[in-house]
Amino acid sequence: MDLQFQKRKILWGGATAASQYEGGWQEGGKGIDTQDVRPYIPRTSNATTATRLLTQAMIEKGERDTKGRYPFRDGSKGYYHLAEDIQLLKELGMDIYRLSISWARLFPNGDELEPNPAGIAYYDRVFDEIRKAGFKVFLTMNHYAIPLNLVKKYGGWTNRKLIDFYLRFAKVVFEHWGDCIDYYLPFNEINAGYFSPFNGVALLKPEDGGYDQSLVFQSLHHQFVASAKTIELGHSMVQGKFGAMVACFCYYPYSCKPEDNLKQTLDENTNTWFCMDVLSRGYYPSYMQSFFDANGIEFEITDEDRELLKHNTCDFVSFSYYQSSVASCEEKEKTAGNLVVSTKNPYLQANEWGWQIDPVGLRVTLNRIYDRYQKPVIISENGFGYADVMEEDHQVHDQYRIDYLNRHFQEILNAQNDGVDVVAYMMWGIVDIVSAGSCEMGKRYGVIYVDADNYGNGSYDRYKKDSFYWYQQFMKEYREE
Ligand code: BGP
């Protein structure tokens, strides 16, 4: 029986994000962006929001503060270690490298008509090094950070003008580096705009309470339109494939009680599938109407927007996966995760940040997302955040990360055998970088250790962890199969 399913060789690699990796926050005329004003606040729990949802007062303080600790201003100083890091990743033996471009490095205020020449020159160097290494490229065009001026002057993504500013940025990317990019992702984890509106849609948190949800969904809608217009323009200018990405949380019902299963369905719909449905199917799913009505959410969608979304859907789907989650109709013990807090799963262990370790959940997610969209699937983020310790001899014995990766890789291969068209896997934070949620350098993901702490102390020298050699061997053996 032929089901016309051809297993492809999966591309293995790693990922960084400009604001978490580059540093050099004022180099070459780069403008200040939304991540540069996020302070480091020592973690008091595993669910941090103080450093994620910034108010007007916080960004004003960040702008004038010359003494505080703002980790994204340094990142892992990738700006100054470019050739060395690309050489290390080549030695690691990756097929594909995911990186992002700093919008504020190309357009310091975001609304300029022409790009910053020094920003162009920097990314010319970046892509030259990547070409020399021979990696395939997965480019996140925008990964959370946007020029702060677009927040102060225009109110972030609530303002429809950001669509045009973003398309101007996208056109420069296509013109300058379109020849060496294989996969384009307009927005990182576009559903983050719902959970983390400052990072996701550059919306300031009101001083006196929660966000206006109508503004959040209007902002998300403008990003949907920007994504569709980017795909439309990109398909006319470059050869690469265009995707969409959501953070997947893999919700399980707490029990077989019907109400728990209903909660799982509703949570998975609004938190995971909604944004991907719009970008992959090309229209707003009907289940969101009841959600909008129930929550008094109203925002503008023009007929032109609807046509644009319908005719410019993504070529592939991608997602980040760190942990699975639990939906319960009753209040039970909670735990944190990437972007969301969920009910604790009594069958799972968690890392220090409360993120529940579930390799099987990755296989479940791959099956769910492929069956829903029937498009090639890319795992654009997965990895294990841990407070690694470097020994006196500069070794880092991260067997816990090797175990995490090994178990998750086995489930990816199982999902491929289930019939899922898996294109690529990119390990998050392949070089240690600043964490997006808690602004910590000490929450490490990499197979390459960076000698720096949460306050920016250290040499920023790079050292290979035990997991570097394990991943190197895994990719070598996988290719030789
Ligand atoms: C995702 C972001 C990444 C990365 C990841 C891990 O939301 O796309 O930028 O940071 O989360 O989260 P953290 O860095 O908070 O550990």
Side-chain angles (χ1 to χ4, degrees):
M1 178 174 65
D2 173 12
L3 295 180
Q4 284 100 36
F5 172 66
Q6 298 300 321
K7 268 170 53 172
R8 66 171 89 205
K9 270 291 189 190
I10 296 169
L11 300 170
W12 300 90
T16 60
S19 66
Q20 297 169 253
Y21 167 71
E22 291 178 355
W25 73 295
Q26 293 179 312
E27 292 281 4
K30 175 183 170 291
I32 188 168
D33 67 32
T34 51
Q35 303 303 296
D36 293 330
V37 290
R38 292 181 61 201
Y40 168 62
I41 302 172
R43 186 166 34 97
T44 52
S45 75
N46 58 28
T48 52
T49 56
T51 58
R52 277 197 296 133
L53 306 177
L54 271 60
T55 61
Q56 180 71 33
M58 288 178 78
I59 66 165
E60 285 170 358
K61 178 176 188 301
E63 274 196 287
R64 64 172 181 271
D65 189 348
T66 55
K67 294 187 172 41
R69 175 67 186 143
Y70 296 87
F72 298 98
R73 297 182 181 182
D74 289 325
S76 357
K77 295 194 177 178
Y79 188 91
Y80 309 102
H81 289 262
L82 171 62
E84 172 194 358
D85 285 350
I86 297 295
Q87 188 48 42
L88 276 169
L89 296 177
K90 182 169 170 45
E91 184 186 337
L92 176 62
M94 300 193 319
D95 300 310
I96 186 167
Y97 179 38
R98 177 188 178 203
L99 72 158
S100 76
I101 286 182
S102 164
W103 189 347
R105 220 180 270 287
L106 290 192
F107 290 86
N109 292 315
D111 58 2
E112 295 92 340
L113 290 173
E114 296 302 327
N116 164 28
I120 300 283
Y122 170 68
Y123 286 109
D124 279 344
R125 284 199 299 119
V126 169
F127 285 103
D128 284 349
E129 291 296 335
I130 290 173
R131 278 190 200 93
K132 282 190 298 189
F135 299 141
K136 285 196 175 300
V137 176
F138 182 108
L139 179 72
T140 315
M141 299 172 68
N142 184 242
H143 196 130
Y144 286 160
I146 81 164
L148 195 65
N149 176 60
L150 296 182
V151 178
K152 293 165 59 184
K153 190 172 171 185
Y154 300 93
W157 280 98
T158 48
N159 193 320
R160 190 171 265 265
K161 286 182 180 168
L162 262 75
I163 297 171
D164 293 339
F165 298 150
Y166 181 87
L167 266 292
R168 211 176 286 165
F169 160 79
K171 190 165 183 288
V172 166
V173 172
F174 298 149
E175 284 166 345
H176 286 266
W177 307 295
D179 64 321
C180 64
I181 296 168
D182 304 275
Y183 301 97
Y184 294 88
L185 176 69
F187 294 97
N188 173 65
E189 292 184 328
I190 198 161
N191 56 333
Y194 176 39
F195 305 101
S196 200
F198 179 76
N199 273 354
V201 288
L203 217 50
L204 289 174
K205 183 181 173 306
E207 302 285 0
D208 57 357
Y211 283 92
D212 174 342
Q213 291 300 300
S214 292
L215 282 182
V216 169
F217 284 92
Q218 181 69 78
S219 302
L220 261 178
H221 176 69
H222 290 156
Q223 280 192 341
F224 295 155
V225 172
S227 180
K229 283 189 166 201
T230 300
I231 292 175
E232 183 181 54
L233 178 65
H235 279 160
S236 71
M237 289 182 70
V238 295
Q239 294 306 310
K241 298 290 183 194
F242 286 79
M245 177 186 174
V246 286
C248 279
F249 310 112
C250 190
Y251 285 99
Y252 303 139
Y254 187 80
S255 77
C256 55
K257 185 192 292 183
E259 291 77 9
D260 281 347
N261 287 272
L262 175 61
K263 182 82 166 51
Q264 185 272 343
T265 301
L266 298 178
D267 284 356
E268 190 116 286
N269 277 348
T270 50
N271 297 354
T272 305
W273 303 135
F274 158 54
C275 292
M276 190 60 88
D277 282 358
V278 174
L279 296 178
S280 183
R281 293 174 170 172
Y283 55 87
Y284 273 70
S286 53
Y287 58 76
M288 285 307 282
Q289 195 52 60
S290 57
F291 176 83
F292 292 146
D293 295 344
N295 292 282
I297 293 168
E298 291 178 353
F299 55 96
E300 186 197 23
I301 303 178
T302 67
D303 291 343
E304 186 192 357
D305 294 345
R306 291 185 195 282
E307 282 303 296
L308 194 80
L309 290 170
K310 184 177 164 188
H311 296 295
N312 297 284
T313 57
C314 57
D315 304 321
F316 65 86
V317 294
S318 69
F319 65 96
S320 62
Y321 176 86
Y322 292 93
Q323 83 279 334
S324 59
S325 310
V326 175
S328 166
C329 62
E330 293 154 9
E331 269 311 301
K332 295 186 182 302
E333 188 182 359
K334 300 287 186 199
T335 188
N338 181 30
L339 297 167
V340 293
V341 172
S342 96
T343 297
K344 199 162 189 168
N345 184 326
Y347 298 97
L348 297 178
Q349 303 296 311
N351 72 359
E352 185 182 325
W353 285 264
W355 298 19
Q356 300 182 115
I357 302 159
D358 181 8
V360 173
L362 177 52
R363 178 178 178 183
V364 170
T365 301
L366 282 163
N367 274 277
R368 284 179 182 169
I369 200 167
Y370 184 61
D371 184 56
R372 190 176 186 100
Y373 300 110
Q374 295 288 296
K375 289 181 180 176
V377 183
I378 290 180
I379 304 157
S380 42
E381 278 181 39
N382 167 254
F384 190 49
Y386 200 88
D388 299 342
V389 172
M390 182 164 70
E391 309 294 338
E392 285 297 311
D393 61 3
H394 294 144
Q395 292 196 50
V396 180
H397 302 303
D398 57 341
Q399 186 60 41
Y400 41 81
R401 180 167 295 109
I402 292 170
D403 295 341
Y404 179 99
L405 294 173
N406 191 26
R407 293 169 67 202
H408 283 75
F409 291 0
Q410 291 316 310
E411 294 305 335
I412 292 169
L413 298 174
N414 290 337
Q416 194 180 41
N417 291 330
D418 296 340
V420 176
D421 183 9
V422 185
V423 172
Y425 168 93
M426 283 155 286
M427 189 187 142
W428 177 250
I430 193 77
V431 181
D432 285 349
I433 52 182
V434 176
S435 77
S438 47
C439 307
E440 294 174 282
M441 193 65 208
K443 183 179 186 185
R444 299 172 185 278
Y445 284 91
V447 296
I448 296 166
Y449 184 92
V450 173
D451 176 25
D453 67 14
N454 289 327
Y455 292 94
N457 304 313
S459 67
Y460 282 83
D461 289 346
R462 273 75 167 133
Y463 299 94
K464 298 168 195 166
K465 302 178 191 177
D466 291 358
S467 54
F468 179 100
Y469 302 100
W470 181 85
Y471 195 21
Q472 184 183 52
Q473 187 60 24
F474 171 86
M475 290 187 280
K476 184 171 178 295
E477 287 174 6
Y478 175 83
R479 275 189 214 100
E480 287 165 359
E481 274 168 9

